[in-house]
Amino acid sequence: MSMSPDEIRTILSDVIDPNTNKKLAANMKHSVIHVNDTSVSLTLALGYPIHNGLNAIKQPIETALGAHGLSLGQFECVLRVETHAVQRGLKPLPNVRNIIAVASGKGGVGKSTTSVNLALALKSQGARVGLLDADIYGPSVPMMLGLSGKPESRDNKTMEPLVGHGIEANSIGFLIDPDSAAIWRGPMVSQALEQLLRQTNWGDLDYLIIDMPPGTGDIALTLSQKVPLAGAVIVTTPQDLALADARKGLHMFRKVEVPVLGVVENMSMHVCSNCGHAEPIFGVHGGRDMAAEFNLPWLGTLPLAMAIREQTDSGHPTVQADPQSEAAAMYQTIANGVAIQVAKLPRDMAGKMPPVVVKP
């Protein structure tokens, strides 16, 4: 006698996902199972894009079914990103399941380039993604996404995000003249960013990437305390000066109880556009060593390559302009690592719990 889908669901609930090291029990609720005699067809709902990890998760499922005389027939994974917990006292934004801050301790380390390509990579892996440019003094997202013009307001209260390469985006750069400087003090900047975040009609997003301002000053700290973040990614170069400031950014997020999802080392190697010779002009393994020092996930490295700069400056970042390139593959690996780290986090339960009413 063949087993029922519910019995199969029970069997697979104890399988450990090799990517998150968590049981598949929570995933089974939204997964689809069909049983034909001893063959099981499974559509598995995962909280992160599977990317290149299909075989890794397929193997333990086959082993678990085989122990009961069953075989795995048709198998596919679908993306179902959950909302994860944010800082105490804050609530996730409506329609935005996870906000991820991309930060660095100092400017000039390629944080914005990483943010844009991270967003594009997540989108290409099937996620719905938005990008908020939080660098008020030096907004670069409009140029990087090849966007111009002002956001439309249909009710004179909120803004519609602009869309570039399938990414919803908003930036102070859309609202001021490109040649004008934002000569604002800290409180004005924080208020402007709160408006950009909360008064933008974001669509139904799995991830909203925030390109944070450089440094760990008042603006960055205020954002870390007021924006409901699922986690943060630290971008650095291998240079000792950059690493010293990156550590400050890491400690800032820990103080405000924002999980650090991992470290990205940018400009790890300079690649000559003529001969292809690679040289570590900023040092070797600085970001990797920092990740090991603080027991953080090591998300990957990116080269200092002219093509990345040229593509980004032209409004066609690497992941979109040259998706088959080695650099694009690196961004894809980093994006998948970020999504997996988010999936490991505790889920948001605030919206699932009934309100507590105290009666006299």
Side-chain angles (χ1 to χ4, degrees):
M1 181 181 296
S2 62
M3 291 188 179
S4 69
D6 284 342
E7 291 174 313
I8 301 296
R9 210 177 299 276
T10 300
I11 292 171
L12 297 182
S13 290
D14 288 330
V15 171
I16 301 296
D17 181 344
N19 290 313
T20 63
N21 293 319
K22 296 171 67 175
K23 289 185 178 182
L24 291 178
N27 304 88
M28 287 296 106
K29 179 179 178 181
H30 300 288
S31 297
V32 179
I33 298 173
H34 295 289
V35 185
N36 184 8
D37 196 16
T38 60
S39 178
V40 177
S41 296
L42 172 63
T43 300
L44 180 63
L46 285 178
Y48 59 90
I50 193 63
H51 193 42
N52 295 325
L54 186 65
N55 289 333
I57 197 168
K58 183 178 181 181
Q59 186 174 3
I61 291 174
E62 289 179 323
T63 301
L65 293 175
H68 293 80
L70 301 168
S71 63
L72 181 63
Q74 182 178 349
F75 176 63
E76 64 177 339
C77 295
V78 295
L79 182 62
R80 184 183 174 85
V81 177
E82 299 286 346
T83 303
H84 292 84
V86 299
Q87 306 97 304
R88 285 181 292 183
L90 298 179
K91 295 181 180 179
L93 290 186
N95 297 335
V96 179
R97 276 171 281 286
N98 300 286
I99 300 179
I100 301 170
V102 178
S104 63
K106 63 180 297 181
V109 300
K111 169 184 54 61
S112 296
T113 301
T114 302
S115 298
V116 171
N117 279 289
L118 171 61
L120 289 168
L122 287 169
K123 176 190 171 295
S124 72
Q125 293 177 25
R128 291 161 291 193
V129 187
L131 180 61
L132 175 63
D133 188 350
D135 193 349
I136 294 292
Y137 297 123
S140 53
V141 166
M143 176 182 289
M144 290 182 170
L145 286 180
L147 293 172
S148 61
K150 294 187 177 181
E152 178 185 353
S153 179
R154 298 172 182 172
D155 57 5
N156 294 320
K157 295 179 181 179
T158 58
M159 296 172 281
E160 301 300 318
L162 276 69
V163 179
H165 308 306
I167 302 293
E168 295 187 10
N170 206 353
S171 166
I172 195 67
F174 296 139
L175 303 174
I176 62 175
D177 187 277
D179 295 326
S180 298
I183 310 175
W184 298 344
R185 296 189 184 277
M188 290 180 63
V189 173
S190 298
Q191 183 179 1
L193 289 174
E194 279 272 302
Q195 291 176 322
L196 285 173
L197 175 67
R198 300 184 184 277
Q199 295 180 14
T200 299
N201 293 323
W202 302 108
D204 187 31
L205 300 181
D206 295 315
Y207 307 102
L208 175 62
I209 308 300
I210 297 188
D211 180 19
M212 294 281 284
T216 56
D218 179 66
I219 298 170
L221 179 60
T222 300
L223 276 175
S224 302
Q225 293 173 324
K226 291 187 176 181
V227 175
L229 297 171
V233 174
I234 302 294
V235 179
T236 185
T237 67
Q239 188 178 13
D240 288 343
L241 287 174
L243 290 165
D245 289 337
R247 287 185 175 89
K248 297 175 184 176
L250 189 155
H251 288 304
M252 178 190 73
F253 284 116
R254 286 189 166 178
K255 284 182 178 179
V256 295
E257 299 181 333
V258 173
V260 177
L261 305 173
V263 177
V264 174
E265 183 182 283
N266 201 20
M267 308 181 193
S268 61
M269 287 281 178
H270 170 253
V271 181
C272 177
S273 57
N274 290 323
C275 67
H277 173 70
E279 185 176 13
I281 59 176
F282 288 122
V284 180
H285 300 322
R288 187 191 300 269
D289 293 344
M290 175 183 164
E293 176 186 352
F294 291 97
N295 195 28
L296 292 171
W298 168 240
L299 296 171
T301 64
L302 294 160
L304 177 60
M306 185 179 293
I308 295 177
R309 194 272 302 167
E310 291 176 337
Q311 290 158 351
T312 305
D313 283 353
S314 70
H316 296 275
T318 303
V319 171
Q320 187 272 335
D322 194 3
Q324 302 305 316
S325 66
E326 184 178 356
M330 294 176 181
Y331 282 119
Q332 294 283 2
T333 298
I334 290 170
N336 193 239
V338 169
I340 288 173
Q341 293 304 317
V342 171
K344 291 181 179 182
L345 297 172
R347 296 184 181 182
D348 172 57
M349 302 303 294
K352 304 181 189 306
M353 302 295 289
V356 177
V357 179
V358 179
K359 294 184 178 180

